[in-house]
Amino acid sequence: MFIVKSDRNKGIGTKLIKYLQKEKEKLSLKVYKKNKKAVNFYHKHKNTPLNKK
């Protein structure tokens, strides 16, 4: 999931991940390990990235 830089920190990612969690029983995530904000975001929303590149 990518959010355009100008639209970050507006709750868009949170709304999207909550919607996906309602729609899907299981989510598969991949994230760049250097992207600490993304890693923390997914952990905050009770998701653990499967692969960290």
Side-chain angles (χ1 to χ4, degrees):
M1 173 171 68
F2 293 93
I3 305 295
V4 176
K5 191 172 185 176
S6 62
D7 289 330
R8 293 180 192 159
N9 300 309
K10 295 181 180 179
I12 295 168
T14 296
K15 288 178 184 175
L16 183 55
I17 199 85
K18 286 183 178 183
Y19 171 79
L20 293 171
Q21 289 170 330
K22 286 181 190 176
E23 294 294 314
K24 298 292 180 182
E25 192 173 308
K26 186 176 181 179
L27 298 176
S28 176
L29 304 167
K30 293 181 182 180
V31 65
Y32 297 110
K33 65 182 172 183
K34 290 182 181 181
N35 189 345
K36 299 292 183 189
K37 285 186 179 184
V39 172
N40 291 337
F41 173 83
Y42 291 123
H43 284 293
K44 174 182 167 184
H45 294 286
K46 301 185 180 8
N47 292 285
T48 302
L50 298 173
N51 295 326
K52 295 180 188 176
K53 294 182 177 184

